[in-house]
Amino acid sequence: MFVVTLSYLTDLDQVDAALPDHLDWVERQYADGVFLASGRKVPRTGGVILAAGLDRAELDRRLATDPFAERGVAAYEVTEFVAGRVADGLAHLRES
């Protein structure tokens, strides 16, 4: 499982210009089953994504196709972790 932290590199006008394409890209990641949760940071300086069901190389490949990455408006930090304990209903996320 991965926690992806996005940090904006440009002003919000440029982020907002890329946002519709970014949200389409996010929707495709959910449709593929790799994104578990996503949203904006507060204050609005970037975002956070929880992803699972893929390896680091595939995650990196997908992140490179994000319109935010393609337009240079965000940088990404990826942290991989092993979920040893999860809430009820999320047992499929725990590594056995």
Side-chain angles (χ1 to χ4, degrees):
M1 187 175 312
F2 301 91
V3 176
V4 180
T5 304
L6 287 77
S7 297
Y8 296 144
L9 302 173
T10 62
D11 62 45
L12 289 178
D13 289 340
Q14 291 179 351
V15 171
D16 288 340
L19 190 58
D21 292 335
H22 168 74
L23 293 176
D24 288 344
W25 173 84
V26 167
E27 186 59 37
R28 289 192 302 277
Q29 308 318 304
Y30 277 105
D32 287 349
V34 295
F35 281 10
L36 306 175
S38 61
R40 292 179 177 171
K41 291 180 187 175
V42 176
R44 190 176 172 208
T45 59
V48 177
I49 299 167
L50 297 180
L54 71 173
D55 63 25
R56 175 64 189 266
E58 176 62 13
L59 177 60
D60 288 343
R61 186 196 67 75
R62 287 174 183 255
L63 293 175
T65 67
D66 179 357
F68 279 0
E70 292 176 335
R71 297 179 193 182
V73 300
Y76 305 80
E77 180 180 334
V78 177
T79 303
E80 184 172 3
F81 75 101
V82 175
R85 188 171 179 179
V86 296
D88 291 343
L90 299 177
H92 65 285
L93 299 176
R94 188 178 70 237
E95 181 152 302
S96 40

